[in-house]
Amino acid sequence: MTPGGGGPMKDCEYSQISTHSSSPMESPHKKKKIAARRKWEVFPGRNKFFCNGRIMMARQTGVFYLTLVLILVTSGLFFAFDCPYLAVKITPAIPVVGGILFFFVMGTLLRTSFSDPGVLPRATPDEAADLERQIDIANGTSSGGYRPPPRTREVIINGQTVKLKYCFTCKIFRPPRASHCSLCDNCVERFDHHCPWVGNCVGKRNYRFFYMFILSLSFLTVFIFAFVITHVILRSQQTGFLNALKDSPASVLEAVVCFFSVWSIVGLSGFHTYLISSNQTTNEDIKGSWSNKRGKENYNPYSYGNIITNCCAALCGPVSPSLIDRRGFIQPDTPQPAAPTNGITMYGATQSQSNMAAATPLLQSEPSLTSEELPLPGKTTLGAPCATLSLGQPTPPSSMPNLTSETVLTDMIPLKEEHDGHQFLTPEEAPSPPGMLSTGSPITHSHTLHVLSLASQDSLHEDSVRGLVKLSSV
Amino acid sequence: MATEGHNLQELRRSASLATKVFVQRDYSDGTICQFQTKFPPELDSRIERQLFEETVKTLNNFYAEAEKIGGSSYLEGCLACATAYFIFLCMETHYEKVLKKISRYIQEQNEKIFAPRGLLLTDPVERGMRVIEISIYEDRCSSGSASSGSSSSSGSSSGGGGGAGGR
């Protein structure tokens, strides 16, 4: 599936690149020699996947189940206890409309919760290395032990200067309006917010479903509330208020739930209607990115100018397909950023071990390379120790000098204490497994060092990438 | 420039990857998908500037077409909403159709223009629409050593030299 992956091509390259959307589609290339694994199984973010990658949610889903229960129970009680009376007394259209609203609410809720919000896949090692190089050139390569300048790029959009920030976890410059969700550990395009009620981030791809969900839910809540009140009033006209409550106790529960929900849901719908009509995200609104208070010249560069166009663009615009290809099969020769654990970024085509002390792919090929063999402290030979500095912190600002070390997978926990604040090491200093950097060893460290590693065979590609990524260090 | 054309088969067998060049996104028009047309210096000796820029501009046009907001996209959006998005089980979105066109175009460009020059374009969709990845290949058989990378460490310019040996 990746014709340009690297190295001499295999026979199945250059076939049709299939683009995967969230609908289930099999990858045309199944390398089934070993048990082929799907990409969602090694997805580096903190997401949960169901139905073999078709469904994608955040890790904490407790509140989502609460939402489901509240909606189902309240609606269920409404249809069971209030509708029979109302259908007879007033009109049977009431349960019909209620039913339609209910299905709409459930549909949009599930769609919001289960779809990919617009997650940006993390950079491949080559890209990350290339970016690092460019940043180092831009900042001056003599980044000493002190913090290098922050990594931002400025771009002018529609007359406004927008700062693009570098994401240390995903190793990319975030597109405008994208943001990194710390709960899901992903960069999401047009990030709105992370909603625990739907158990997912709300971003570019599922914002319209989210909006339709809260809109229809506010209608449903108001609908149920109104008709429950009507029901109780009609009954109390016949039998008195207390008897009415006794006859239909469910109505009390429904009324209470709806009463408290109405304020928040309707308020939220109103707020999001405002956001849509001005083409802002919740994130931008909270930060006041485009508010007039920042300056007279501050305006929203993404707005189309009029409310109708903004609404249409947000709700009826084209739906971009998912970029993360959850159900595709992993190609053994493609370097994939593997799932990080405890904030350590690990690369490898295969699933990385969750244990940091476990041998990294770099070391897997050389089991004899133990910590004793490593050079003494004072010489950061393996970028590994530097990588351990990022232990537990996906984007440690304090270890920025060691930034590129994050791209180096090897983790040697025993060495962690000895290597704080070290610079990176040149690839030659790294005790490389004999087979690997030998192709690159005669070369002096240069920015194109990675070129050499890439020149080695395909099977070593992912390993050499690690060796090469240390490049731009010195 | 290559005096002897490599077709894709030969590229697979005889070439080894020297380096990769990344063409980044151009956000000056907002969040729509556009790539920078700035010519990367590493490609200077490999391909004509004109050809490269034309390829990138065509890709940009494709993406603009995919993301165009207009009558047809509204219609598709409303129809999809009316059918509760079940319609996408049967038919592709407009965006997906354009992406298929793009991948066909890239394959064609690779076959006709890039592979003969020892280059390879990777479809941006496989890199999360972040970059256009251009892989630069060296002739493995032409450079005498196994660490052919060493001779190419000075960049792809040596590719011309290395390539010349084998061509």
Side-chain angles (χ1 to χ4, degrees), chain A residues 20-345:
Chain A
H20 295 266
S21 65
S22 52
S23 60
M25 266 162 54
E26 292 287 351
S27 160
H29 301 295
K30 296 186 185 187
K31 297 208 162 109
K32 286 237 162 162
K33 287 177 195 162
I34 325 162
R37 308 185 70 198
R38 293 195 192 251
K39 290 182 186 168
W40 65 264
E41 299 180 55
V42 296
F43 185 70
R46 253 181 263 140
N47 287 94
K48 275 204 260 191
F49 294 91
F50 304 102
C51 289
N52 205 4
R54 293 181 177 90
I55 290 176
M56 173 177 181
M57 296 181 74
R59 189 151 286 190
Q60 309 292 338
T61 48
V63 188
F64 167 68
Y65 294 127
L66 174 68
T67 309
L68 267 184
V69 161
L70 277 176
I71 296 177
L72 288 172
V73 166
T74 313
S75 308
L77 290 177
F78 177 72
F79 289 121
F81 292 99
D82 299 89
C83 278
Y85 184 88
L86 289 167
V88 165
K89 259 282 187 157
I90 306 184
T91 165
I94 293 175
V96 171
V97 172
I100 294 174
L101 272 178
F102 171 73
F103 281 119
F104 200 69
V105 165
M106 289 308 295
T108 47
L109 169 64
L110 295 180
R111 189 91 199 188
T112 310
S113 303
F114 293 165
S115 57
D116 169 15
V119 172
L120 288 170
R122 298 194 182 183
T124 57
D126 298 325
E127 282 177 63
D130 187 68
L131 270 183
E132 292 279 335
R133 212 178 49 234
Q134 286 179 24
I135 292 169
D136 279 346
I137 292 172
N139 289 345
T141 40
S142 58
S143 49
Y146 13 97
R147 283 172 93 108
R151 302 176 169 211
T152 54
R153 267 186 195 162
E154 298 215 337
V155 76
I156 302 200
I157 300 177
N158 258 345
Q160 282 282 338
T161 309
V162 175
K163 267 203 176 140
L164 303 184
K165 293 199 186 141
Y166 182 78
C167 179
F168 291 111
T169 312
C170 304
K171 311 253 183 307
I172 58 172
F173 274 97
R174 279 185 220 127
R177 314 193 92 177
S179 190
H180 190 93
C181 175
S182 45
L183 289 163
C184 302
D185 205 26
N186 292 318
C187 272
V188 179
E189 281 189 285
R190 202 188 182 281
F191 180 73
D192 196 84
H193 66 286
H194 181 98
C195 187
W197 298 95
V198 303
N200 205 356
C201 287
V202 177
K204 181 167 105 166
R205 293 187 75 245
N206 63 353
Y207 186 60
R208 70 192 68 191
F209 307 126
F210 175 74
Y211 179 71
M212 290 198 281
F213 165 62
I214 54 174
L215 197 63
S216 52
L217 186 62
S218 33
F219 284 130
L220 182 69
T221 321
V222 168
F223 183 85
I224 291 183
F225 190 60
F227 283 108
V228 160
I229 301 289
T230 312
H231 177 208
V232 170
I233 290 177
L234 289 177
R235 265 197 204 258
S236 35
Q237 280 172 351
Q238 289 176 335
T239 62
F241 185 65
L242 287 174
N243 284 334
L245 290 184
K246 248 190 336 184
D247 290 335
S248 163
S251 304
V252 180
L253 177 65
E254 291 166 49
V256 166
V257 170
C258 288
F259 179 74
F260 288 113
S261 312
V262 149
W263 306 111
S264 44
I265 306 280
V266 171
L268 197 62
S269 306
F271 175 61
H272 277 279
T273 309
Y274 156 71
L275 286 182
I276 284 187
S277 58
S278 60
N279 203 334
Q280 286 185 81
T281 63
T282 305
N283 211 15
E284 287 165 355
D285 188 72
I286 287 179
K287 288 194 208 156
S289 311
W290 313 121
S291 92
N292 287 331
K293 295 183 193 136
R294 283 211 181 188
K296 281 215 176 121
E297 295 308 315
N298 207 25
Y299 59 89
N300 184 0
Y302 310 109
S303 171
Y304 292 94
N306 73 75
I307 293 180
I308 310 277
T309 319
N310 283 339
C311 290
C312 288
L315 301 177
C316 306
V319 182
S320 51
S322 172
L323 294 174
I324 56 176
D325 186 29
R326 307 187 287 281
R327 287 174 48 79
F329 286 96
I330 300 168
Q331 310 292 305
D333 60 341
T334 310
Q336 301 251 348
T341 54
N342 299 336
I344 301 292
T345 315

Side-chain angles (χ1 to χ4, degrees), chain B residues 114-130:
Chain B
F114 287 90
R117 292 168 170 76
L119 301 173
L120 205 64
L121 279 188
T122 304
D123 195 336
V125 88
E126 306 200 358
R127 297 289 177 262
M129 308 287 243
R130 293 182 300 264

Side-chain angles (χ1 to χ4, degrees), chain A residues 1-25 104 111 120-124 126-128 130-131 133-134 153 155-158 164 172-177 189 204 208-209 212 302 304 308-309 312-313 315-323 334-335 438-440 442-443 446 448-452 454-457 461, chain B residues 8-9 11-32 36 42 65-70 72-78 81 84-86 88-89 92-97 99-101 103-104 106-107 110-111 115 119-131 133 135 137-138 140 146-155:
Chain A
M1 237 179 44
T2 50
M9 299 287 109
K10 303 215 165 54
D11 283 327
C12 57
E13 310 294 336
Y14 294 126
S15 52
Q16 191 76 8
I17 301 167
S18 56
T19 57
H20 295 266
S21 65
S22 52
S23 60
M25 266 162 54
F104 200 69
R111 189 91 199 188
L120 288 170
R122 298 194 182 183
T124 57
D126 298 325
E127 282 177 63
D130 187 68
L131 270 183
R133 212 178 49 234
Q134 286 179 24
R153 267 186 195 162
V155 76
I156 302 200
I157 300 177
N158 258 345
L164 303 184
I172 58 172
F173 274 97
R174 279 185 220 127
R177 314 193 92 177
E189 281 189 285
K204 181 167 105 166
R208 70 192 68 191
F209 307 126
M212 290 198 281
Y302 310 109
Y304 292 94
I308 310 277
T309 319
C312 288
L315 301 177
C316 306
V319 182
S320 51
S322 172
L323 294 174
T334 310
S438 57
T439 51
I443 305 85
S446 67
T448 53
L449 182 58
H450 67 287
V451 161
L452 335 165
L454 284 175
S456 58
Q457 288 112 21
H461 180 67
Chain B
L8 283 179
Q9 325 290 91
L11 198 62
R12 289 175 212 169
R13 274 184 260 116
S14 66
S16 63
L17 187 62
T19 185
K20 293 188 183 183
V21 179
F22 297 98
V23 177
Q24 300 283 341
R25 284 272 294 269
D26 174 17
Y27 292 115
S28 54
D29 276 334
T31 50
I32 58 172
Q36 293 178 355
E42 293 90 343
E65 182 198 327
E67 299 186 10
K68 192 168 69 99
I69 301 180
S72 60
S73 75
Y74 289 154
L75 203 60
E76 190 188 43
C78 291
C81 181
Y85 296 89
F86 280 108
F88 290 140
L89 293 175
E92 284 180 325
T93 64
H94 174 65
Y95 208 111
E96 281 167 354
K97 287 192 192 120
L99 284 180
K100 286 214 166 125
K101 265 205 282 187
S103 71
R104 275 197 302 269
I106 288 181
Q107 191 172 348
N110 273 334
E111 279 167 11
L119 301 173
L120 205 64
L121 279 188
T122 304
D123 195 336
V125 88
E126 306 200 358
R127 297 289 177 262
M129 308 287 243
R130 293 182 300 264
V131 288
E133 183 179 300
S135 310
Y137 285 90
E138 300 297 334
R140 191 189 281 161
S147 53
S148 56
S150 57
S151 54
S152 63
S153 65
S154 47

Side-chain angles (χ1 to χ4, degrees), chain B residues 1-2 16 23 38 40 48 56 63 77 87 111-112 130 135 145-146 152 154 161 164:
Chain B
M1 294 300 154
S16 63
V23 177
K38 187 175 69 111
E48 294 88 1
V56 178
Y63 286 116
I87 197 158
E111 279 167 11
K112 291 195 196 142
R130 293 182 300 264
S135 310
S145 54
S152 63
S154 47

